[in-house]
Amino acid sequence: MANTATATASDAATPGSMGDVRRSNLALVLGTVAQSPAGFHLTRAQIAAATGLTKASVSSIVLDLLEAGILHEIGLNPQGERGRPGVGLELNPARGVMGMEINVDYIAAGATSLSGTVVVQEIRERDNRDTASGPVMAALASLAAEVRAAAAAKGMEVLGGGLAVPGLVDAGSATVITAPNLGWVDVKLDVAQLLPGLPLGVTLFNEANAAALAELAHGPHRKQDFLFISGEVGVGGGLVIRSELFTGPEGHAGEVGHIVVDPEGRPCSCGGTGCLETIAGQDAIFAAAGIEGKRQARSESMSALMEALAAEKPDAVLAVQRAGRSLGVAIASTSRVTNIRAVVLGGHFAVLEHWLRPPLVESLSKYAPGKILPENITTAAVGEGGALLGAAGSVVRSLLEAPHRLHS
Amino acid sequence: MANTATATASDAATPGSMGDVRRSNLALVLGTVAQSPAGFHLTRAQIAAATGLTKASVSSIVLDLLEAGILHEIGLNPQGERGRPGVGLELNPARGVMGMEINVDYIAAGATSLSGTVVVQEIRERDNRDTASGPVMAALASLAAEVRAAAAAKGMEVLGGGLAVPGLVDAGSATVITAPNLGWVDVKLDVAQLLPGLPLGVTLFNEANAAALAELAHGPHRKQDFLFISGEVGVGGGLVIRSELFTGPEGHAGEVGHIVVDPEGRPCSCGGTGCLETIAGQDAIFAAAGIEGKRQARSESMSALMEALAAEKPDAVLAVQRAGRSLGVAIASTSRVTNIRAVVLGGHFAVLEHWLRPPLVESLSKYAPGKILPENITTAAVGEGGALLGAAGSVVRSLLEAPHRLHS
DNA sequence: TTATATAGTTCAAGCGATAAACTAACCGCC
DNA sequence: GGCGGTTAGTTTATCGCTTGAACTATATAA
């Protein structure tokens, strides 16, 4: 599973004009402000020093960004220094984006400010398994409208949105190519209708990719390069390289759930054989542990598994150990192909870390020694709402990288 | 094995100035000329139409490129059309680059024009196995000087060079991190001394990556996305995505030879277990086929294998079938992780294609059905000198993408 | 109050792309 | 051969954006 919105349209042979310089510097200034530590407000002079632009250019650029409503002046901040105090600048707290998520058991929507602060968040349980997209989208639209209204009540205008879905997506056409657990195949979503009138529209994301982006933005280490592995009913992945999602030629890279970890293994729902998902997916683990993985009772099945593990029941322990070893094989191979050296475990892999880690580490040292050190295997810092936050964050980021799309 | 020279230095927060526009348009014009069909010479007016730049801008840019010696005016070409005939432009045929290669059994050097035409090429047999780098480099320097003189005699000035080596390299520091079959570990090469006085210097490449780039430039299909798999003593790979080498965070992506294809398999020279190389590498195939893979006799071993296959000797047939199946597993996993949908087989995989293809195709349909169609499995179009041509071509390409580095 | 230091703005200059006018070179046709 | 038509390429004025220096604004220190 993999996809994104960042299409880096650099292949088109387009003439470069002076406007490009402006756009580039607009993004440079905005990026500098966005990356400054929270609560600390850069001044124009500091931005000039940090970017290498002249004060004159920074003033002119900041003026544009203020007019576009992206930046905001905070009063003077005389810090006891000599000289005239500067005017602090911050991302306009009255502008934000919405993140939304459709998953198997719930729909969710939340609004965050441009700096990533969550202002409203709402999760609504809903069984979306094998449901047509229409009713799900309608329910989400209603939820999104509520959240948007709540954000507006707090003085925040929503500029754009991102929607995460557990399946292969094509962001350009807002189409879900396959979402096995929703039963969706080639479903075109009317994302514009979800949140009408947004200047930036709504972008579609793959759930694992969005969660990987959330890890990038909110994770503690601020790693530039890592593989995020999302353990849900399916096993998905998001590959972050140089702080960008790596999407491959068609936007579907990172499908670690379908790496072959046992050539003699069982058939997979994808049509392949011996995929990681057939051993380390939730259903596979439950089955191997002798736990009934009934519909609707997924969280209960997980509780049952945890109890069985705590009681050291052999079936459960062996099932998780086998999953850990297979995960190691898949990560080893991924590391060789993509040169990635850090892994973040999400979903049930994070929950099961205690039992999963020893076989995983052992497996990695057997199949790719020295490539991925144990300290570079971590669990997700962002929990349940990860995909939602990631989708929202990605929309913010694309705005910050191309601020000229707004008004200016 | 993977690496490259293209470092895409876009992460540095550097202010964009008007010079950037010039550089960008310089590259745009040059790229347009370079991509025009061979023998056909674009005029300034045609370039203006193709790029969207004005005639005035194109004239000014072309002037710069003429002064830098990169472009060359060919006389007027009245084509029976009405109106004033235009002046044809081409890449200056009197400028070129050198490609060089150090491999286990030989060293090689060649000079190509900026448009990719090979002007001189020289391969010199030499046993470099477990040899210190000094003598090898000295021998290559002497060979390179000869080739450079021969090119000069034909009126070609060499601007830069590329050196391909069978191992992991760090292009930035011109260091060979490991080249198992040469016995080199952390060897810093004095590439500048190899060809003194070049305006563009000499860049280091991994051999499989360079060969992949050659396939990109010279292959018949002009595919934008493919995985090149180089079958030598080791199994290397080069991943081309959107016409660029994908190098991963540290420049070592594409090591398909060390994907785990059999978790219960044998230990690999890399320290791992069950790597593709332990089943599909030359030594592994020879051993499984019951052929003595002695030093120096590698080409003879290959001949022996071909004979054994022709005679349908079971050991040989089974060895190659197993290699094909394992190759399929590795390609299936790579396809999932990188979203690649086409494969080009090089080295002994190309030689053995007849026997390798059936088990490979079968394996792919078992492990990643629908992902890689049989017609997207092809063999290398460029033969022996592939790495050399690829290295040279990559140096040319980096010049065409940043022509301002020359004089202008 | 004055000196000093820093923030931010104004203004002339330079560079590069653009559009339109202009010159150059060829074809066809009478 | 001369003239209109057509296309190629250059010249010129203008515009947009960054730059650097001068200038104004506002603080602290003595």
Side-chain angles (χ1 to χ4, degrees), chain A residues 18 43-45 55-56 59 82-87:
Chain A
M18 276 155 296
T43 66
R44 289 169 175 80
K55 291 191 293 176
S59 276
R82 294 231 280 213
R84 167 178 167 179
V87 180

Side-chain angles (χ1 to χ4, degrees), chain B residues 13 31 55-56 59 65 77 103 117 151 155 164 198 200 211 246 253 260 297 307 320 349 365 368 406:
Chain B
K55 290 191 295 176
S59 277
L65 294 172
N77 50 349
N103 221 315
T117 313
L198 295 191
L200 299 180
F246 170 71
V260 181
E307 280 169 31
V320 173
F349 295 134
S365 78
L406 228 55

Side-chain angles (χ1 to χ4, degrees), chain B residues 197-250:
Chain B
L198 295 191
L200 299 180
V202 175
T203 309
L204 194 58
F205 293 85
N206 162 269
E207 177 250 331
N209 279 6
L213 289 171
E215 234 21 73
L216 174 69
H218 301 277
H221 312 296
R222 296 232 156 201
K223 290 198 185 92
Q224 282 202 323
D225 310 284
F226 61 87
L227 170 67
F228 176 83
I229 304 187
S230 126
E232 306 287 339
V233 178
V235 173
L239 207 41
V240 174
I241 292 177
R242 281 189 260 266
S243 300
E244 304 258 352
L245 208 49
F246 170 71
T247 62
E250 299 162 309

Side-chain angles (χ1 to χ4, degrees), chain A residues 121-325:
Chain A
Q121 186 161 2
E122 194 84 34
I123 299 186
R124 191 160 293 174
E125 298 208 356
R126 189 176 199 287
D127 181 13
N128 298 318
R129 207 171 283 246
D130 301 322
T131 314
S133 66
V136 182
M137 287 293 279
L140 181 59
S142 143
L143 176 59
E146 283 176 38
V147 170
R148 188 182 189 179
K154 296 192 180 181
M156 175 182 289
E157 180 189 345
V158 173
L159 299 177
L163 169 60
V165 170
L168 280 186
V169 305
D170 178 57
S173 62
T175 302
V176 177
I177 297 169
T178 33
N181 301 315
L182 298 176
W184 294 3
V185 176
D186 267 323
V187 175
K188 180 155 171 54
L189 299 181
D190 190 357
V191 288
Q193 192 188 303
L194 211 49
L195 279 170
L198 295 192
L200 299 180
V202 175
T203 310
L204 194 57
F205 294 86
N206 162 269
E207 176 250 332
N209 280 5
L213 289 171
E215 249 357 91
L216 175 68
H218 300 278
H221 314 295
R222 295 229 157 204
K223 292 199 184 87
Q224 281 202 322
D225 309 284
F226 61 88
L227 170 68
F228 177 83
I229 304 187
S230 126
E232 305 288 339
V233 178
V235 174
L239 207 41
V240 174
I241 292 178
R242 283 189 257 268
S243 300
E244 304 257 353
L245 208 51
F246 169 72
T247 60
E250 299 163 310
H252 306 145
E255 280 216 74
V256 287
H258 301 285
I259 288 178
V260 181
V261 296
D262 179 7
E264 314 299 323
R266 297 209 309 267
C268 178
S269 67
C270 74
T273 304
C275 298
L276 174 63
E277 195 169 301
T278 67
I279 296 173
Q282 280 186 11
D283 287 346
I285 293 180
F286 291 154
I291 292 167
E292 281 288 312
K294 287 220 171 144
R295 293 171 147 259
Q296 289 285 42
R298 196 154 300 279
S299 59
E300 288 152 37
S301 299
M302 187 56 75
S303 306
L305 176 62
M306 299 290 282
E307 280 170 30
L309 287 169
E312 296 185 5
K313 293 206 175 165
D315 281 359
V317 171
L318 284 174
V320 173
Q321 281 182 350
R322 183 151 182 249
R325 283 197 303 274

Side-chain angles (χ1 to χ4, degrees), chain B residues 18 43-45 55-56 59 82-87:
Chain B
M18 275 154 297
T43 66
R44 288 169 175 81
K55 290 191 295 176
S59 277
R82 296 228 283 210
R84 169 178 166 179
V87 179

Side-chain angles (χ1 to χ4, degrees), chain A residues 332-371:
Chain A
S333 293
T334 303
S335 152
R336 278 5 230 272
V337 172
T338 64
N339 192 209
I340 214 77
R341 302 187 71 126
V343 176
V344 177
L345 302 174
H348 69 262
F349 296 134
V351 176
L352 297 174
E353 186 203 4
H354 176 71
W355 294 275
L356 214 50
R357 177 179 276 274
L360 171 55
V361 168
E362 190 194 356
S363 178
L364 279 172
S365 77
K366 177 175 179 184
Y367 295 112
K371 293 288 178 187

